[in-house]
Short mmCIF file of all heavy atoms in Angstrom, two decimals:
data_model
loop_
_atom_site.label_atom_id
_atom_site.label_comp_id
_atom_site.label_asym_id
_atom_site.label_seq_id
_atom_site.Cartn_x
_atom_site.Cartn_y
_atom_site.Cartn_z
N GLY A 207 28.28 188.12 100.00
CA GLY A 207 28.89 187.00 99.31
C GLY A 207 28.06 186.39 98.21
O GLY A 207 28.58 185.74 97.30
N GLY A 208 26.72 186.59 98.27
CA GLY A 208 25.86 185.99 97.27
C GLY A 208 25.99 186.60 95.89
O GLY A 208 25.45 186.06 94.91
N ILE A 209 26.71 187.72 95.79
CA ILE A 209 26.90 188.36 94.48
C ILE A 209 27.50 187.37 93.50
O ILE A 209 27.10 187.32 92.32
CB ILE A 209 27.78 189.62 94.63
CG1 ILE A 209 27.04 190.71 95.41
CG2 ILE A 209 28.22 190.15 93.25
CD1 ILE A 209 27.91 191.88 95.81
N ARG A 210 28.44 186.56 93.95
CA ARG A 210 29.10 185.62 93.03
C ARG A 210 28.12 184.58 92.47
O ARG A 210 28.32 184.08 91.37
CB ARG A 210 30.27 184.94 93.74
CG ARG A 210 31.42 185.89 94.05
CD ARG A 210 32.65 185.16 94.59
NE ARG A 210 33.73 186.09 94.86
CZ ARG A 210 33.93 186.72 96.03
NH1 ARG A 210 33.09 186.50 97.03
NH2 ARG A 210 34.94 187.55 96.19
N THR A 211 27.07 184.26 93.22
CA THR A 211 26.05 183.34 92.70
C THR A 211 25.39 183.95 91.47
O THR A 211 25.18 183.28 90.44
CB THR A 211 24.98 183.07 93.78
OG1 THR A 211 25.61 182.50 94.92
CG2 THR A 211 23.91 182.12 93.27
N THR A 212 25.04 185.23 91.56
CA THR A 212 24.42 185.91 90.42
C THR A 212 25.40 186.07 89.27
O THR A 212 25.00 186.01 88.10
CB THR A 212 23.88 187.28 90.87
OG1 THR A 212 22.92 187.08 91.91
CG2 THR A 212 23.21 188.01 89.71
N VAL A 213 26.67 186.24 89.57
CA VAL A 213 27.68 186.35 88.51
C VAL A 213 27.69 185.09 87.65
O VAL A 213 27.68 185.15 86.41
CB VAL A 213 29.08 186.62 89.10
CG1 VAL A 213 30.16 186.46 88.03
CG2 VAL A 213 29.14 188.01 89.71
N GLY A 214 27.66 183.93 88.29
CA GLY A 214 27.66 182.69 87.53
C GLY A 214 26.45 182.56 86.63
O GLY A 214 26.56 182.18 85.45
N ALA A 215 25.28 182.89 87.15
CA ALA A 215 24.05 182.79 86.36
C ALA A 215 24.05 183.81 85.22
O ALA A 215 23.59 183.52 84.11
CB ALA A 215 22.84 183.00 87.26
N THR A 216 24.56 185.00 85.48
CA THR A 216 24.56 186.05 84.46
C THR A 216 25.50 185.70 83.32
O THR A 216 25.18 185.90 82.14
CB THR A 216 24.95 187.40 85.10
OG1 THR A 216 24.04 187.69 86.15
CG2 THR A 216 24.94 188.52 84.08
N ARG A 217 26.66 185.19 83.65
CA ARG A 217 27.60 184.79 82.59
C ARG A 217 27.00 183.72 81.69
O ARG A 217 27.27 183.70 80.48
CB ARG A 217 28.89 184.28 83.21
CG ARG A 217 29.75 185.34 83.87
CD ARG A 217 30.97 184.72 84.53
NE ARG A 217 31.86 185.72 85.11
CZ ARG A 217 32.99 185.44 85.76
NH1 ARG A 217 33.35 184.16 85.94
NH2 ARG A 217 33.75 186.41 86.24
N ALA A 218 26.20 182.84 82.27
CA ALA A 218 25.63 181.73 81.49
C ALA A 218 24.41 182.15 80.68
O ALA A 218 23.98 181.40 79.80
CB ALA A 218 25.26 180.59 82.44
N ALA A 219 23.85 183.31 80.95
CA ALA A 219 22.61 183.73 80.29
C ALA A 219 22.89 184.30 78.90
O ALA A 219 23.96 184.85 78.64
CB ALA A 219 21.90 184.78 81.14
N SER A 220 21.90 184.21 78.04
CA SER A 220 22.01 184.80 76.71
C SER A 220 21.70 186.29 76.77
O SER A 220 21.10 186.78 77.74
CB SER A 220 21.04 184.12 75.75
OG SER A 220 19.70 184.45 76.09
N ASP A 221 22.07 187.01 75.72
CA ASP A 221 21.71 188.41 75.64
C ASP A 221 20.19 188.60 75.73
O ASP A 221 19.70 189.52 76.40
CB ASP A 221 22.20 189.01 74.32
CG ASP A 221 23.70 189.25 74.30
OD1 ASP A 221 24.40 188.77 75.21
OD2 ASP A 221 24.16 189.92 73.35
N ASP A 222 19.46 187.74 75.04
CA ASP A 222 18.01 187.86 75.04
C ASP A 222 17.43 187.66 76.44
O ASP A 222 16.47 188.33 76.83
CB ASP A 222 17.38 186.87 74.05
CG ASP A 222 17.58 187.29 72.61
OD1 ASP A 222 17.92 188.46 72.37
OD2 ASP A 222 17.40 186.42 71.72
N ASP A 223 18.00 186.70 77.18
CA ASP A 223 17.53 186.47 78.55
C ASP A 223 17.79 187.70 79.43
O ASP A 223 16.91 188.12 80.21
CB ASP A 223 18.22 185.25 79.16
CG ASP A 223 17.74 183.94 78.56
OD1 ASP A 223 16.65 183.93 77.96
OD2 ASP A 223 18.46 182.93 78.69
N LEU A 224 18.98 188.27 79.32
CA LEU A 224 19.30 189.46 80.12
C LEU A 224 18.41 190.63 79.72
O LEU A 224 17.90 191.36 80.58
CB LEU A 224 20.77 189.82 79.96
CG LEU A 224 21.79 188.81 80.49
CD1 LEU A 224 23.20 189.31 80.22
CD2 LEU A 224 21.58 188.54 81.97
N ARG A 225 18.21 190.80 78.43
CA ARG A 225 17.37 191.90 77.94
C ARG A 225 15.93 191.74 78.45
O ARG A 225 15.28 192.73 78.80
CB ARG A 225 17.41 191.93 76.42
CG ARG A 225 16.67 193.11 75.79
CD ARG A 225 16.87 193.14 74.30
NE ARG A 225 18.25 193.46 73.93
CZ ARG A 225 19.11 192.59 73.41
NH1 ARG A 225 18.75 191.32 73.20
NH2 ARG A 225 20.33 192.97 73.11
N ALA A 226 15.45 190.52 78.48
CA ALA A 226 14.09 190.28 78.96
C ALA A 226 13.95 190.64 80.44
O ALA A 226 12.93 191.20 80.86
CB ALA A 226 13.70 188.82 78.72
N THR A 227 14.97 190.32 81.24
CA THR A 227 14.92 190.67 82.66
C THR A 227 14.93 192.17 82.85
O THR A 227 14.13 192.73 83.63
CB THR A 227 16.10 190.04 83.41
OG1 THR A 227 15.99 188.61 83.35
CG2 THR A 227 16.13 190.47 84.87
N VAL A 228 15.82 192.86 82.16
CA VAL A 228 15.87 194.32 82.27
C VAL A 228 14.53 194.92 81.83
O VAL A 228 13.98 195.81 82.49
CB VAL A 228 17.02 194.91 81.45
CG1 VAL A 228 17.02 196.44 81.57
CG2 VAL A 228 18.36 194.36 81.91
N GLY A 229 13.99 194.43 80.71
CA GLY A 229 12.72 194.95 80.22
C GLY A 229 11.59 194.74 81.20
O GLY A 229 10.74 195.63 81.40
N ARG A 230 11.55 193.56 81.82
CA ARG A 230 10.49 193.28 82.79
C ARG A 230 10.58 194.20 84.00
O ARG A 230 9.57 194.79 84.44
CB ARG A 230 10.60 191.83 83.24
CG ARG A 230 9.67 191.45 84.40
CD ARG A 230 9.78 189.97 84.74
NE ARG A 230 11.12 189.56 85.12
CZ ARG A 230 11.64 189.70 86.34
NH1 ARG A 230 10.93 190.28 87.31
NH2 ARG A 230 12.86 189.28 86.61
N LEU A 231 11.78 194.38 84.53
CA LEU A 231 11.94 195.23 85.71
C LEU A 231 11.76 196.69 85.37
O LEU A 231 11.18 197.46 86.16
CB LEU A 231 13.33 194.98 86.33
CG LEU A 231 13.51 193.60 86.94
CD1 LEU A 231 14.96 193.37 87.31
CD2 LEU A 231 12.62 193.41 88.16
N HIS A 232 12.22 197.10 84.21
CA HIS A 232 12.03 198.48 83.77
C HIS A 232 10.54 198.80 83.64
O HIS A 232 10.08 199.88 84.04
CB HIS A 232 12.76 198.70 82.44
CG HIS A 232 12.80 200.12 81.99
ND1 HIS A 232 11.88 200.66 81.13
CD2 HIS A 232 13.66 201.14 82.29
CE1 HIS A 232 12.16 201.92 80.91
NE2 HIS A 232 13.24 202.24 81.60
N ALA A 233 9.77 197.85 83.10
CA ALA A 233 8.32 198.04 82.98
C ALA A 233 7.66 198.08 84.35
O ALA A 233 6.74 198.88 84.58
CB ALA A 233 7.72 196.93 82.13
N GLU A 234 8.11 197.24 85.28
CA GLU A 234 7.60 197.31 86.65
C GLU A 234 7.82 198.68 87.25
O GLU A 234 6.93 199.26 87.89
CB GLU A 234 8.34 196.29 87.54
CG GLU A 234 7.81 194.90 87.54
CD GLU A 234 8.54 194.04 88.56
OE1 GLU A 234 9.28 194.56 89.42
OE2 GLU A 234 8.39 192.81 88.47
N MET A 235 9.03 199.21 87.07
CA MET A 235 9.35 200.52 87.62
C MET A 235 8.45 201.61 87.02
O MET A 235 7.94 202.47 87.74
CB MET A 235 10.82 200.84 87.35
CG MET A 235 11.78 200.01 88.18
SD MET A 235 13.50 200.42 87.77
CE MET A 235 14.34 199.73 89.21
N LEU A 236 8.27 201.56 85.72
CA LEU A 236 7.45 202.57 85.06
C LEU A 236 6.01 202.53 85.58
O LEU A 236 5.41 203.58 85.84
CB LEU A 236 7.48 202.37 83.55
CG LEU A 236 6.87 203.47 82.70
CD1 LEU A 236 7.58 204.80 82.91
CD2 LEU A 236 6.90 203.08 81.22
N ARG A 237 5.47 201.34 85.76
CA ARG A 237 4.10 201.23 86.29
C ARG A 237 3.98 201.82 87.68
O ARG A 237 2.91 202.27 88.09
CB ARG A 237 3.66 199.75 86.33
CG ARG A 237 3.38 199.13 84.97
CD ARG A 237 2.61 197.84 85.11
NE ARG A 237 3.28 196.83 85.90
CZ ARG A 237 4.12 195.92 85.42
NH1 ARG A 237 4.43 195.94 84.13
NH2 ARG A 237 4.68 195.03 86.21
N GLN A 238 5.08 201.82 88.43
CA GLN A 238 5.07 202.34 89.79
C GLN A 238 5.59 203.78 89.87
O GLN A 238 5.88 204.27 90.96
CB GLN A 238 5.90 201.42 90.70
CG GLN A 238 5.31 200.02 90.80
CD GLN A 238 6.22 199.07 91.55
OE1 GLN A 238 6.07 198.93 92.77
NE2 GLN A 238 7.16 198.45 90.87
N GLY A 239 5.68 204.43 88.71
CA GLY A 239 5.97 205.85 88.70
C GLY A 239 7.40 206.25 88.47
O GLY A 239 7.71 207.45 88.48
N THR A 240 8.30 205.29 88.25
CA THR A 240 9.70 205.62 88.00
C THR A 240 9.88 205.90 86.51
O THR A 240 9.70 205.02 85.68
CB THR A 240 10.63 204.49 88.44
OG1 THR A 240 10.53 204.33 89.86
CG2 THR A 240 12.08 204.79 88.07
N THR A 241 10.26 207.13 86.20
CA THR A 241 10.42 207.54 84.80
C THR A 241 11.89 207.74 84.41
O THR A 241 12.20 207.92 83.24
CB THR A 241 9.63 208.83 84.54
OG1 THR A 241 9.95 209.80 85.54
CG2 THR A 241 8.13 208.55 84.56
N THR A 242 12.78 207.74 85.40
CA THR A 242 14.22 207.80 85.14
C THR A 242 14.89 206.78 86.04
O THR A 242 14.63 206.75 87.25
CB THR A 242 14.81 209.19 85.44
OG1 THR A 242 14.14 210.18 84.64
CG2 THR A 242 16.30 209.24 85.16
#
């Protein structure tokens, strides 16, 4: 049920905010060996 909480926050976020989150997590993954 908590998915809807994230939906509200995501709708309210800017493109730059969403891009920054993806970039941060993508970089975390790469540092831990995830390349795809």
Side-chain angles (χ1 to χ4, degrees):
I209 292 170
R210 292 187 179 90
T211 301
T212 301
V213 169
T216 302
R217 290 176 177 179
S220 69
D221 286 11
D222 286 344
D223 288 341
L224 295 179
R225 185 174 292 109
T227 296
V228 179
R230 172 177 59 82
L231 292 170
H232 188 266
E234 275 186 13
M235 289 178 163
L236 190 61
R237 288 195 301 271
Q238 297 173 93
T240 296
T241 50
T242 301

